[in-house]
Amino acid sequence: MTASPDLGTPRTASPELLRSVFRQHAAGVAVITARGERPVGFTATSLTSVAAEPPLLSFGVATTASSWPALAEADHLGVHILGEHQQELAATFARSGADRFGPGTSWRTGPEGVPLLDGVLAWLVCRVVARIPAGDHRIVLAQPLLGDPAGPGRPLLYHQGRFNALRD
């Protein structure tokens, strides 16, 4: 099989190729939170709606992530869709070793003890249904129980290794 000139030169699959290809994919930005000994959370661009009936969503998390031990045990978690005004919050939850629930983060304890972030576009409290092994990650499948889709603003996006806003 040969590549057509407008497809470029094919490269053998590798972690680097996968990262390079997905840098071209603009993704919405979410923060996943859970209760542990202390609240935990991380920035996710892998959030996906799986089914409407029953409502299900999924996201991936590395088993090496600092939040994984708490997420591995959590029965419930929070899903927060970030707005374009929340780039710093997204960066805080993406940064290794950051004090994610420190003074710069406005949050409260929600239903089922789930940490809920203030000022987001939308949030859900979900019940964990499954944790599916996938390489060095786990795919977490969760069922939304309650939430609010009515936050102010427009969504934050992640593209080419940077947080971005929608353009009209």
Side-chain angles (χ1 to χ4, degrees):
M1 177 191 301
T2 59
S4 73
D6 56 336
L7 289 180
T9 304
R11 296 172 19 197
T12 303
S14 67
E16 292 74 30
L17 175 63
L18 187 66
R19 284 188 204 90
S20 294
V21 167
F22 273 86
R23 280 189 198 104
Q24 301 298 334
H25 176 68
V29 180
V31 168
I32 309 299
T33 60
R35 181 179 67 197
E37 284 182 29
R38 298 178 358 168
V40 299
F42 70 98
T43 299
T45 56
S46 60
L47 182 65
T48 304
S49 172
V50 174
E53 191 57 44
L56 294 172
L57 60 84
S58 71
F59 61 88
V61 57
T63 56
T64 56
S66 61
S67 56
W68 173 244
L71 286 167
E73 300 294 324
D75 292 327
H76 295 87
L77 51 86
V79 175
H80 308 82
I81 307 299
L82 300 191
E84 63 187 3
H85 62 287
Q86 295 179 302
Q87 290 187 24
E88 185 53 41
L89 183 66
T92 297
F93 276 83
R95 194 170 22 256
S96 180
D99 184 3
R100 296 175 179 156
F101 290 90
T105 302
S106 180
W107 67 282
R108 65 193 181 284
T109 301
E112 304 295 340
V114 171
L116 293 178
L117 302 174
D118 294 331
V120 297
L121 290 189
W123 60 268
L124 294 165
V125 170
C126 303
R127 181 179 60 82
V128 175
V129 174
R131 295 171 186 86
I132 304 160
D136 62 352
H137 279 60
R138 294 297 180 267
I139 304 302
V140 177
L141 192 62
Q143 182 175 21
L145 302 175
L146 66 140
D148 183 0
R154 294 164 45 115
L156 181 62
L157 300 178
Y158 190 74
H159 180 250
Q160 290 288 353
R162 296 184 11 239
F163 297 114
N164 294 278
L166 284 175
R167 293 187 192 119
D168 291 327

